[in-house]
Structures are given as C-alpha cells and as structure tokens.
Amino acid sequence: DAGVTQSPTHLIKTRGQQVTLRCSPKSGHDTVSWYQQALGQGPQFIFQYYEEEERQRGNFPDRFSGHQFPNYSSELNVNALLLGDSALYLCASSLTGQTYTDTQYFGPGTRLTVL
Amino acid sequence: DQQVKQNSPSLSVQEGRISILNCDYTNSMFDYFLWYKKYPAEGPTFLISISSIKDKNEDGRFTVFLNKSAKHLSLHIVPSQPGDSAVYFCAASAQYNFNKFYFGSGTKLNVKP
C-alpha cells in the first residue's frame, strides 16, 4: 500500500518563474492538503482540496493555486516566484469522514529553491 | 500569527529517561490536537492525538496531556529510546475550521545512548 508520494524531490527555479508540484494521496484517501515549511518553522497550511474543489485556504496570496484530479491526485502551482517561496512543500492526504478529526498522512515533500 | 507555539527548539535526554515536549496554543476554539514526528528527508508522521473532551491519551510509550484552562499540551515519552530522536511538531485544529491544522515550530529531541 503506497503512502503519499510527491514529485519532484528537489527543484531549483529563478525569481519570476512558475512551478508545479505534484502529489498522489495514500490509497483510499480523497482529500489533499498542501503545506509550506520554511527553514526552522512548522508547516503552514496553504489550502485543501476535496471533490476537486478548494475547501479551505490559509493566508497565502493568489500566486498559489491548486488543482485536484478525479483520481484524487493534486497539483500545487506557484506563479511569479519570489525568493521567500523557497521552502519544503508538503502534501498531506486524508479521508474525509463523518467527523473533522481526520488524520493527515504526509508525503516526503518537495524542496523548492528560488534563486 | 502564531497560534501554536513550541518554545523549546531542542531537548536532550538520556536513553531510558522521560522526554517531555511542551506546546502552548492561544485559540480557545481549538479542540483537537495532534503530535507528529519528523525524521530528516521524510514527511511528518502522525504519532498521537487528543480531543478536548479528554485530558489524557496514551499509546504505548507515548502519552499526551491536555490542560485546557492553561491552553497547554505536553507529550511524554517513557522510556526514551535513541530511535525517538527526531523533530516533534504539535498541531491543533477547530471543528468550525474543518481540517485546517496549525502547527508549532517543532522541538528537536536528541536521545543519547
């Protein structure tokens, strides 16, 4: 049973470029959340996708957008990259149930460096 | 705004002893709390959780305590093992803000043999 997978592992971009990160959820999961983890900080919630729609969003600008596909996999897109976007981007999957206490399972992350 | 805080960036403990990791939160609407463990080059791994209707939850060597009046939770690891050396994050969420988790900045635990 595959866990959460993310690609690519590492990525180097320059300021102003655009980037797309990909996530495949754990088998049986239907909800994907994206987090940004800056160096020395905890993960910060970007947004969550369920039934191919953005259900929740954190305090991130519109340069951050996402998508969820019918097979529940997801993409995170960041436009007009800034140096401050350099971080580890984590994807977490869960199964939306009757309660809100759904455990999230994290992937290994994509390390994005913006030069 | 940092709604979940872990004020100790690091903790060093001798193998076999108790490790106590602390976490404070400011939002009184938080009613579900989790601890995650993270090894280098891996994503955070779920460890243990607690709902606000409880003040203690145990799972093997791991126990989480919740003090709602103080808005404080702690993770106890007894006995500590070298394999427990990792970064530990606490996270919190509120029922009204479905599945949006707020994380602390983490505590790096080093268990010395």
Side-chain angles (χ1 to χ4, degrees):
Chain A
D1 178 22
V4 180
T5 59
Q6 293 186 242
S7 63
T9 308
H10 294 90
L11 205 50
I12 299 175
K13 292 284 188 179
T14 56
R15 278 179 296 175
Q17 284 190 310
Q18 179 263 343
V19 68
T20 297
L21 311 181
R22 295 176 176 83
C23 171
S24 290
K26 182 177 166 63
S27 178
H29 284 183
D30 58 8
T31 304
V32 173
S33 303
W34 286 93
Y35 291 83
Q36 180 194 66
Q37 186 181 8
L39 205 60
Q41 301 295 316
Q44 274 203 292
F45 179 80
I46 302 175
F47 43 52
Q48 182 181 87
Y49 276 84
Y50 172 65
E51 292 188 340
E52 301 179 47
E53 290 192 358
E54 185 182 289
R55 177 161 70 178
Q56 284 270 1
R57 189 177 183 93
N59 291 333
F60 280 81
D62 292 344
R63 298 187 298 108
F64 289 77
S65 63
H67 189 77
Q68 186 179 35
F69 300 93
N71 67 352
Y72 307 120
S73 67
S74 177
E75 287 182 349
L76 164 66
N77 301 292
V78 187
N79 295 322
L81 284 166
L82 303 174
L83 294 178
D85 295 332
S86 296
L88 180 68
Y89 287 85
L90 293 163
C91 167
S93 75
S94 56
L95 177 63
T96 292
Q98 296 299 313
T99 72
Y100 67 105
T101 56
D102 305 318
T103 300
Q104 297 189 351
Y105 293 82
F106 283 83
T110 294
R111 173 71 63 187
L112 172 64
T113 302
V114 182
L115 302 176
Chain B
D1 59 342
Q2 195 73 10
Q3 300 191 45
V4 177
K5 296 179 184 179
Q6 293 175 259
N7 293 319
S8 299
S10 63
L11 176 67
S12 188
V13 169
Q14 205 67 38
E15 180 180 6
R17 295 291 192 91
I18 184 172
S19 295
I20 300 176
L21 295 96
N22 294 303
C23 180
D24 297 294
Y25 60 96
T26 56
N27 189 340
S28 58
M29 298 299 290
F30 286 151
D31 52 8
Y32 186 60
F33 306 89
L34 309 92
W35 284 94
Y36 281 85
K37 178 169 74 172
K38 186 179 187 302
Y39 292 118
E42 294 182 13
T45 304
F46 170 74
L47 200 54
I48 192 169
S49 64
I50 188 167
S51 165
S52 61
I53 62 173
K54 293 184 174 183
D55 53 19
K56 176 183 173 182
N57 189 28
E58 242 176 304
D59 184 2
R61 297 186 297 113
F62 301 91
T63 303
V64 55
F65 295 91
L66 176 63
N67 183 334
K68 290 185 289 292
S69 59
K71 296 192 182 69
H72 176 85
L73 65 154
S74 61
L75 174 69
H76 292 210
I77 307 173
V78 183
S80 301
Q81 299 173 355
D84 296 329
S85 297
V87 178
Y88 289 78
F89 292 99
C90 66
S93 71
Q95 192 172 10
Y96 75 89
N97 214 352
F98 200 96
N99 267 317
K100 183 176 179 179
F101 289 93
Y102 294 83
F103 281 78
S105 54
T107 296
K108 186 173 183 180
L109 173 65
N110 179 31
V111 180
K112 297 177 287 188

Short mmCIF file of all heavy atoms in Angstrom, two decimals, chain B residues 36-90:
data_model
loop_
_atom_site.label_atom_id
_atom_site.label_comp_id
_atom_site.label_asym_id
_atom_site.label_seq_id
_atom_site.Cartn_x
_atom_site.Cartn_y
_atom_site.Cartn_z
N TYR B 36 3.13 15.11 15.76
CA TYR B 36 3.77 14.47 14.63
C TYR B 36 5.26 14.39 14.92
O TYR B 36 5.85 15.24 15.58
CB TYR B 36 3.56 15.28 13.34
CG TYR B 36 2.23 15.11 12.68
CD1 TYR B 36 1.12 15.86 13.07
CD2 TYR B 36 2.05 14.20 11.65
CE1 TYR B 36 -0.11 15.70 12.45
CE2 TYR B 36 0.83 14.03 11.01
CZ TYR B 36 -0.23 14.78 11.43
OH TYR B 36 -1.45 14.62 10.81
N LYS B 37 5.89 13.34 14.36
CA LYS B 37 7.34 13.16 14.47
C LYS B 37 7.91 13.26 13.06
O LYS B 37 7.32 12.75 12.10
CB LYS B 37 7.61 11.79 15.06
CG LYS B 37 9.07 11.44 15.19
CD LYS B 37 9.25 10.18 16.03
CE LYS B 37 8.87 8.93 15.33
NZ LYS B 37 9.24 7.73 16.12
N LYS B 38 9.05 13.93 12.94
CA LYS B 38 9.64 14.09 11.60
C LYS B 38 11.13 13.76 11.64
O LYS B 38 11.90 14.37 12.37
CB LYS B 38 9.44 15.52 11.09
CG LYS B 38 9.90 15.71 9.65
CD LYS B 38 9.66 17.13 9.18
CE LYS B 38 9.96 17.31 7.70
NZ LYS B 38 11.33 16.94 7.32
N TYR B 39 11.50 12.79 10.80
CA TYR B 39 12.91 12.47 10.58
C TYR B 39 13.40 13.29 9.39
O TYR B 39 12.60 13.69 8.53
CB TYR B 39 13.10 10.99 10.29
CG TYR B 39 12.79 10.08 11.46
CD1 TYR B 39 11.77 9.13 11.37
CD2 TYR B 39 13.54 10.13 12.64
CE1 TYR B 39 11.49 8.28 12.43
CE2 TYR B 39 13.26 9.28 13.70
CZ TYR B 39 12.23 8.36 13.59
OH TYR B 39 11.95 7.51 14.64
N PRO B 40 14.71 13.54 9.30
CA PRO B 40 15.25 14.26 8.14
C PRO B 40 14.87 13.57 6.83
O PRO B 40 14.85 12.35 6.75
CB PRO B 40 16.77 14.21 8.38
CG PRO B 40 16.92 14.04 9.85
CD PRO B 40 15.75 13.21 10.28
N ALA B 41 14.56 14.36 5.83
CA ALA B 41 14.24 13.88 4.47
C ALA B 41 12.95 13.05 4.42
O ALA B 41 12.72 12.35 3.43
CB ALA B 41 15.40 13.08 3.88
N GLU B 42 12.15 13.13 5.46
CA GLU B 42 10.86 12.45 5.44
C GLU B 42 9.78 13.45 5.83
O GLU B 42 10.04 14.47 6.46
CB GLU B 42 10.83 11.27 6.42
CG GLU B 42 11.77 10.14 6.05
CD GLU B 42 11.65 8.97 7.04
OE1 GLU B 42 10.69 8.96 7.84
OE2 GLU B 42 12.52 8.10 6.99
N GLY B 43 8.52 13.12 5.46
CA GLY B 43 7.42 13.95 5.90
C GLY B 43 7.07 13.65 7.34
O GLY B 43 7.46 12.60 7.87
N PRO B 44 6.34 14.54 8.00
CA PRO B 44 5.90 14.28 9.38
C PRO B 44 5.05 13.01 9.45
O PRO B 44 4.24 12.75 8.54
CB PRO B 44 5.07 15.52 9.72
CG PRO B 44 5.55 16.58 8.79
CD PRO B 44 5.90 15.87 7.53
N THR B 45 5.23 12.24 10.52
CA THR B 45 4.47 11.02 10.75
C THR B 45 3.58 11.20 11.96
O THR B 45 4.03 11.63 13.02
CB THR B 45 5.43 9.84 11.01
OG1 THR B 45 6.33 9.72 9.92
CG2 THR B 45 4.66 8.53 11.17
N PHE B 46 2.30 10.88 11.81
CA PHE B 46 1.35 11.01 12.92
C PHE B 46 1.76 10.12 14.08
O PHE B 46 2.11 8.96 13.90
CB PHE B 46 -0.06 10.65 12.43
CG PHE B 46 -1.05 10.53 13.55
CD1 PHE B 46 -1.54 11.66 14.18
CD2 PHE B 46 -1.49 9.28 13.97
CE1 PHE B 46 -2.46 11.55 15.21
CE2 PHE B 46 -2.40 9.17 15.00
CZ PHE B 46 -2.89 10.30 15.61
N LEU B 47 1.71 10.70 15.29
CA LEU B 47 2.12 9.97 16.48
C LEU B 47 0.93 9.66 17.39
O LEU B 47 0.61 8.53 17.69
CB LEU B 47 3.16 10.80 17.21
CG LEU B 47 4.09 10.13 18.21
CD1 LEU B 47 4.82 8.97 17.59
CD2 LEU B 47 5.09 11.17 18.73
N ILE B 48 0.26 10.70 17.82
CA ILE B 48 -0.82 10.55 18.79
C ILE B 48 -1.68 11.81 18.76
O ILE B 48 -1.21 12.88 18.39
CB ILE B 48 -0.25 10.30 20.21
CG1 ILE B 48 -1.34 9.83 21.19
CG2 ILE B 48 0.50 11.52 20.73
CD1 ILE B 48 -0.78 9.33 22.51
N SER B 49 -2.96 11.64 19.12
CA SER B 49 -3.86 12.79 19.12
C SER B 49 -4.68 12.81 20.40
O SER B 49 -4.73 11.82 21.15
CB SER B 49 -4.79 12.74 17.91
OG SER B 49 -5.63 11.59 17.98
N ILE B 50 -5.35 13.93 20.63
CA ILE B 50 -6.23 14.04 21.78
C ILE B 50 -7.33 15.04 21.46
O ILE B 50 -7.10 16.08 20.85
CB ILE B 50 -5.46 14.44 23.06
CG1 ILE B 50 -6.38 14.37 24.29
CG2 ILE B 50 -4.84 15.84 22.92
CD1 ILE B 50 -5.63 14.45 25.62
N SER B 51 -8.53 14.69 21.86
CA SER B 51 -9.67 15.57 21.71
C SER B 51 -9.84 16.37 22.99
O SER B 51 -9.44 15.92 24.06
CB SER B 51 -10.92 14.73 21.44
OG SER B 51 -12.09 15.48 21.63
N SER B 52 -10.47 17.54 22.88
CA SER B 52 -10.61 18.40 24.05
C SER B 52 -11.55 17.85 25.12
O SER B 52 -11.62 18.39 26.22
CB SER B 52 -11.08 19.79 23.63
OG SER B 52 -12.33 19.71 23.00
N ILE B 53 -12.26 16.77 24.80
CA ILE B 53 -13.13 16.18 25.83
C ILE B 53 -12.33 15.29 26.78
O ILE B 53 -12.85 14.83 27.79
CB ILE B 53 -14.28 15.37 25.19
CG1 ILE B 53 -13.75 14.20 24.37
CG2 ILE B 53 -15.17 16.28 24.35
CD1 ILE B 53 -14.85 13.27 23.87
N LYS B 54 -11.05 15.08 26.43
CA LYS B 54 -10.19 14.27 27.29
C LYS B 54 -9.06 15.14 27.84
O LYS B 54 -8.77 16.22 27.29
CB LYS B 54 -9.57 13.12 26.50
CG LYS B 54 -10.56 12.08 26.02
CD LYS B 54 -9.79 10.94 25.34
CE LYS B 54 -10.71 9.80 24.97
NZ LYS B 54 -9.96 8.68 24.37
N ASP B 55 -8.41 14.67 28.89
CA ASP B 55 -7.22 15.38 29.34
C ASP B 55 -5.97 14.51 29.24
O ASP B 55 -4.86 14.97 29.54
CB ASP B 55 -7.39 15.91 30.77
CG ASP B 55 -7.82 14.83 31.74
OD1 ASP B 55 -7.64 13.64 31.42
OD2 ASP B 55 -8.35 15.18 32.81
N LYS B 56 -6.16 13.28 28.78
CA LYS B 56 -5.01 12.38 28.66
C LYS B 56 -5.32 11.32 27.61
O LYS B 56 -6.44 10.81 27.53
CB LYS B 56 -4.74 11.73 30.02
CG LYS B 56 -3.63 10.70 30.05
CD LYS B 56 -3.51 10.09 31.44
CE LYS B 56 -2.54 8.94 31.48
NZ LYS B 56 -2.47 8.33 32.83
N ASN B 57 -4.29 10.99 26.83
CA ASN B 57 -4.42 9.88 25.88
C ASN B 57 -3.09 9.16 25.82
O ASN B 57 -2.04 9.79 25.71
CB ASN B 57 -4.84 10.38 24.50
CG ASN B 57 -5.19 9.24 23.57
OD1 ASN B 57 -5.62 8.17 24.01
ND2 ASN B 57 -5.02 9.46 22.28
N GLU B 58 -3.16 7.82 25.91
CA GLU B 58 -1.95 7.02 25.98
C GLU B 58 -1.87 6.07 24.80
O GLU B 58 -2.88 5.49 24.38
CB GLU B 58 -2.01 6.15 27.25
CG GLU B 58 -0.92 6.40 28.24
CD GLU B 58 -1.11 5.59 29.50
OE1 GLU B 58 -2.19 5.71 30.12
OE2 GLU B 58 -0.20 4.83 29.84
N ASP B 59 -0.65 5.88 24.31
CA ASP B 59 -0.43 4.88 23.25
C ASP B 59 0.97 4.34 23.43
O ASP B 59 1.95 4.93 22.97
CB ASP B 59 -0.61 5.51 21.87
CG ASP B 59 -0.48 4.49 20.75
OD1 ASP B 59 -0.28 3.28 21.05
OD2 ASP B 59 -0.57 4.87 19.58
N GLY B 60 1.06 3.23 24.12
CA GLY B 60 2.38 2.64 24.37
C GLY B 60 3.26 3.54 25.21
O GLY B 60 2.88 3.95 26.30
N ARG B 61 4.42 3.88 24.68
CA ARG B 61 5.35 4.73 25.42
C ARG B 61 4.98 6.22 25.35
O ARG B 61 5.62 7.04 26.00
CB ARG B 61 6.77 4.55 24.85
CG ARG B 61 7.33 3.14 24.99
CD ARG B 61 8.78 3.07 24.53
NE ARG B 61 8.94 3.36 23.11
CZ ARG B 61 9.56 4.43 22.65
NH1 ARG B 61 10.08 5.32 23.47
NH2 ARG B 61 9.66 4.62 21.34
N PHE B 62 3.99 6.55 24.56
CA PHE B 62 3.63 7.95 24.33
C PHE B 62 2.32 8.31 25.03
O PHE B 62 1.33 7.60 24.92
CB PHE B 62 3.48 8.21 22.82
CG PHE B 62 4.73 7.89 22.04
CD1 PHE B 62 4.93 6.63 21.50
CD2 PHE B 62 5.71 8.86 21.86
CE1 PHE B 62 6.09 6.34 20.79
CE2 PHE B 62 6.87 8.57 21.15
CZ PHE B 62 7.06 7.31 20.62
N THR B 63 2.36 9.42 25.76
CA THR B 63 1.17 9.93 26.44
C THR B 63 1.07 11.43 26.16
O THR B 63 2.07 12.15 26.28
CB THR B 63 1.24 9.71 27.95
OG1 THR B 63 1.40 8.31 28.22
CG2 THR B 63 -0.05 10.20 28.63
N VAL B 64 -0.11 11.86 25.78
CA VAL B 64 -0.33 13.29 25.60
C VAL B 64 -1.28 13.77 26.69
O VAL B 64 -2.29 13.12 26.98
CB VAL B 64 -0.87 13.62 24.18
CG1 VAL B 64 -2.13 12.85 23.86
CG2 VAL B 64 -1.10 15.11 24.02
N PHE B 65 -0.93 14.90 27.30
CA PHE B 65 -1.73 15.52 28.33
C PHE B 65 -2.24 16.86 27.82
O PHE B 65 -1.49 17.61 27.19
CB PHE B 65 -0.90 15.75 29.60
CG PHE B 65 -0.44 14.50 30.28
CD1 PHE B 65 0.79 13.93 29.96
CD2 PHE B 65 -1.23 13.88 31.23
CE1 PHE B 65 1.23 12.76 30.59
CE2 PHE B 65 -0.81 12.71 31.86
CZ PHE B 65 0.42 12.15 31.53
N LEU B 66 -3.50 17.14 28.11
CA LEU B 66 -4.08 18.41 27.69
C LEU B 66 -4.61 19.17 28.90
O LEU B 66 -5.40 18.64 29.68
CB LEU B 66 -5.22 18.16 26.69
CG LEU B 66 -6.01 19.38 26.23
CD1 LEU B 66 -5.12 20.35 25.47
CD2 LEU B 66 -7.19 18.96 25.36
N ASN B 67 -4.18 20.41 29.04
CA ASN B 67 -4.68 21.29 30.10
C ASN B 67 -5.38 22.46 29.41
O ASN B 67 -4.74 23.41 28.96
CB ASN B 67 -3.50 21.78 30.95
CG ASN B 67 -3.96 22.66 32.11
OD1 ASN B 67 -5.01 23.30 32.05
ND2 ASN B 67 -3.17 22.71 33.15
N LYS B 68 -6.69 22.34 29.30
CA LYS B 68 -7.45 23.33 28.52
C LYS B 68 -7.43 24.71 29.18
O LYS B 68 -7.37 25.72 28.48
CB LYS B 68 -8.89 22.86 28.34
CG LYS B 68 -9.01 21.67 27.40
CD LYS B 68 -10.44 21.30 27.13
CE LYS B 68 -11.12 20.68 28.33
NZ LYS B 68 -10.58 19.34 28.65
N SER B 69 -7.48 24.76 30.49
CA SER B 69 -7.52 26.06 31.15
C SER B 69 -6.21 26.83 30.91
O SER B 69 -6.20 28.04 30.79
CB SER B 69 -7.78 25.90 32.65
OG SER B 69 -6.77 25.10 33.24
N ALA B 70 -5.11 26.08 30.83
CA ALA B 70 -3.81 26.72 30.59
C ALA B 70 -3.49 26.79 29.11
O ALA B 70 -2.45 27.36 28.72
CB ALA B 70 -2.71 25.95 31.32
N LYS B 71 -4.32 26.21 28.28
CA LYS B 71 -4.08 26.12 26.83
C LYS B 71 -2.69 25.53 26.58
O LYS B 71 -1.85 26.10 25.86
CB LYS B 71 -4.22 27.48 26.15
CG LYS B 71 -5.61 28.07 26.21
CD LYS B 71 -5.72 29.27 25.27
CE LYS B 71 -7.08 29.89 25.34
NZ LYS B 71 -7.35 30.57 26.63
N HIS B 72 -2.49 24.38 27.17
CA HIS B 72 -1.16 23.75 27.14
C HIS B 72 -1.32 22.25 26.94
O HIS B 72 -2.22 21.63 27.51
CB HIS B 72 -0.44 24.02 28.46
CG HIS B 72 0.89 23.35 28.57
ND1 HIS B 72 2.05 23.89 28.05
CD2 HIS B 72 1.25 22.17 29.12
CE1 HIS B 72 3.06 23.08 28.29
NE2 HIS B 72 2.61 22.02 28.94
N LEU B 73 -0.46 21.70 26.09
CA LEU B 73 -0.40 20.25 25.99
C LEU B 73 1.04 19.79 26.01
O LEU B 73 1.96 20.57 25.71
CB LEU B 73 -1.13 19.70 24.76
CG LEU B 73 -0.65 20.00 23.35
CD1 LEU B 73 -1.10 18.89 22.42
CD2 LEU B 73 -1.24 21.29 22.86
N SER B 74 1.21 18.56 26.43
CA SER B 74 2.56 18.03 26.51
C SER B 74 2.56 16.58 26.03
O SER B 74 1.55 15.88 26.11
CB SER B 74 3.12 18.12 27.93
OG SER B 74 2.32 17.38 28.82
N LEU B 75 3.70 16.18 25.52
CA LEU B 75 3.91 14.80 25.07
C LEU B 75 4.99 14.19 25.94
O LEU B 75 6.08 14.75 26.06
CB LEU B 75 4.35 14.78 23.60
CG LEU B 75 4.74 13.42 23.03
CD1 LEU B 75 3.51 12.52 22.92
CD2 LEU B 75 5.41 13.57 21.67
N HIS B 76 4.66 13.06 26.58
CA HIS B 76 5.61 12.35 27.40
C HIS B 76 6.02 11.07 26.69
O HIS B 76 5.15 10.31 26.21
CB HIS B 76 4.99 12.00 28.76
CG HIS B 76 4.73 13.19 29.61
ND1 HIS B 76 4.76 13.14 31.00
CD2 HIS B 76 4.45 14.48 29.30
CE1 HIS B 76 4.50 14.35 31.48
NE2 HIS B 76 4.30 15.17 30.47
N ILE B 77 7.31 10.82 26.64
CA ILE B 77 7.83 9.60 26.05
C ILE B 77 8.61 8.87 27.14
O ILE B 77 9.60 9.39 27.67
CB ILE B 77 8.77 9.89 24.85
CG1 ILE B 77 8.08 10.80 23.83
CG2 ILE B 77 9.20 8.58 24.19
CD1 ILE B 77 9.00 11.26 22.70
N VAL B 78 8.09 7.67 27.50
CA VAL B 78 8.74 6.90 28.56
C VAL B 78 8.76 5.41 28.20
O VAL B 78 7.68 4.86 27.93
CB VAL B 78 7.98 7.06 29.90
CG1 VAL B 78 8.71 6.32 31.01
CG2 VAL B 78 7.79 8.52 30.27
N PRO B 79 9.90 4.73 28.22
CA PRO B 79 11.23 5.34 28.31
C PRO B 79 11.69 5.84 26.94
O PRO B 79 11.29 5.31 25.91
CB PRO B 79 12.09 4.14 28.76
CG PRO B 79 11.41 2.97 28.14
CD PRO B 79 9.93 3.27 28.12
N SER B 80 12.53 6.84 26.94
CA SER B 80 13.03 7.39 25.68
C SER B 80 14.06 6.43 25.08
O SER B 80 14.84 5.80 25.80
CB SER B 80 13.68 8.75 25.92
OG SER B 80 12.74 9.64 26.47
N GLN B 81 14.04 6.35 23.75
CA GLN B 81 14.96 5.48 23.02
C GLN B 81 15.70 6.30 21.97
O GLN B 81 15.14 7.29 21.47
CB GLN B 81 14.20 4.33 22.35
CG GLN B 81 13.46 3.43 23.31
CD GLN B 81 12.57 2.41 22.60
OE1 GLN B 81 12.43 2.44 21.38
NE2 GLN B 81 11.97 1.52 23.38
N PRO B 82 16.91 5.91 21.60
CA PRO B 82 17.66 6.67 20.58
C PRO B 82 16.87 6.85 19.28
O PRO B 82 16.98 7.88 18.62
CB PRO B 82 18.92 5.82 20.37
CG PRO B 82 19.13 5.14 21.68
CD PRO B 82 17.73 4.83 22.19
N GLY B 83 16.05 5.87 18.92
CA GLY B 83 15.24 5.97 17.71
C GLY B 83 14.16 7.03 17.80
O GLY B 83 13.54 7.38 16.78
N ASP B 84 13.94 7.57 18.99
CA ASP B 84 12.96 8.66 19.15
C ASP B 84 13.55 10.00 18.75
O ASP B 84 12.82 11.00 18.67
CB ASP B 84 12.49 8.74 20.61
CG ASP B 84 11.73 7.51 21.07
OD1 ASP B 84 11.06 6.87 20.22
OD2 ASP B 84 11.82 7.17 22.26
N SER B 85 14.84 10.06 18.51
CA SER B 85 15.49 11.31 18.13
C SER B 85 14.91 11.79 16.80
O SER B 85 15.02 11.11 15.77
CB SER B 85 17.00 11.11 18.00
OG SER B 85 17.57 10.76 19.25
N ALA B 86 14.28 12.93 16.82
CA ALA B 86 13.58 13.48 15.66
C ALA B 86 13.08 14.87 16.03
O ALA B 86 13.25 15.32 17.16
CB ALA B 86 12.40 12.58 15.27
N VAL B 87 12.44 15.53 15.08
CA VAL B 87 11.76 16.78 15.37
C VAL B 87 10.28 16.47 15.63
O VAL B 87 9.66 15.74 14.85
CB VAL B 87 11.88 17.79 14.21
CG1 VAL B 87 11.11 19.07 14.53
CG2 VAL B 87 13.36 18.12 13.96
N TYR B 88 9.74 17.00 16.71
CA TYR B 88 8.35 16.76 17.08
C TYR B 88 7.55 18.05 16.91
O TYR B 88 7.92 19.10 17.42
CB TYR B 88 8.26 16.27 18.53
CG TYR B 88 8.78 14.87 18.69
CD1 TYR B 88 10.15 14.61 18.73
CD2 TYR B 88 7.91 13.78 18.77
CE1 TYR B 88 10.64 13.32 18.85
CE2 TYR B 88 8.39 12.49 18.89
CZ TYR B 88 9.75 12.27 18.93
OH TYR B 88 10.23 10.99 19.03
N PHE B 89 6.45 17.92 16.17
CA PHE B 89 5.55 19.06 15.96
C PHE B 89 4.23 18.80 16.66
O PHE B 89 3.68 17.70 16.56
CB PHE B 89 5.26 19.24 14.47
CG PHE B 89 6.44 19.68 13.65
CD1 PHE B 89 7.17 18.75 12.92
CD2 PHE B 89 6.82 21.01 13.60
CE1 PHE B 89 8.26 19.14 12.15
CE2 PHE B 89 7.91 21.41 12.84
CZ PHE B 89 8.63 20.47 12.12
N CYS B 90 3.69 19.80 17.33
CA CYS B 90 2.32 19.71 17.78
C CYS B 90 1.46 20.50 16.78
O CYS B 90 1.93 21.42 16.12
CB CYS B 90 2.13 20.22 19.19
SG CYS B 90 2.42 21.96 19.42
#
